[in-house]
Amino acid sequence: MIATNTRRPEITMLTEGQKSRILNEVRRKAGTCPACGGREFIVGDALYLGFLYVSENLDAYMIALTCTNPGCPAPRTGTRLPGSQFL
Ligand SMILES: [Zn+2]
């Protein structure tokens, strides 16, 4: 049985420095929330994609983002970044 508070091993927890590098990348790419068009996000954890999908680059990660707009209808989103840009 798996405890619900156990993190999955493929999740990479990020430091504050890594999260701020990700935010800089999201801003540089002018990333917007697909639900509301917002541009401010809180960075969550990273999911390594490189070994899961052969079509992904080997250092690809999916980064969890939460839109900070309080009126956003679907605030949970994400962005794909190579680990070399934030690790
Ligand atoms: Zn939003």
Side-chain angles (χ1 to χ4, degrees):
M1 181 161 175
I2 298 171
T4 52
N5 62 354
T6 301
R7 286 192 168 265
R8 296 189 56 87
E10 63 271 32
I11 296 290
T12 301
M13 294 185 70
L14 301 170
T15 66
E16 290 307 311
Q18 290 165 342
K19 289 180 178 182
S20 82
R21 284 200 286 282
I22 288 164
L23 276 182
N24 286 340
E25 280 303 310
V26 170
R27 289 185 184 130
R28 194 181 61 75
K29 295 197 300 186
T32 56
C33 172
C36 76
R39 292 180 179 274
E40 295 299 322
F41 300 95
I42 295 167
V43 179
D45 298 325
L47 171 66
Y48 179 55
L49 299 177
F51 70 94
L52 292 174
Y53 305 104
V54 288
S55 59
E56 294 287 348
N57 291 327
L58 261 183
D59 72 338
Y61 285 80
M62 177 61 77
I63 315 295
L65 297 175
T66 303
C67 175
T68 60
N69 172 6
C72 182
R76 289 188 164 274
T77 181
T79 189
R80 189 183 268 107
L81 281 179
S84 58
Q85 289 184 357
F86 64 92
L87 291 179

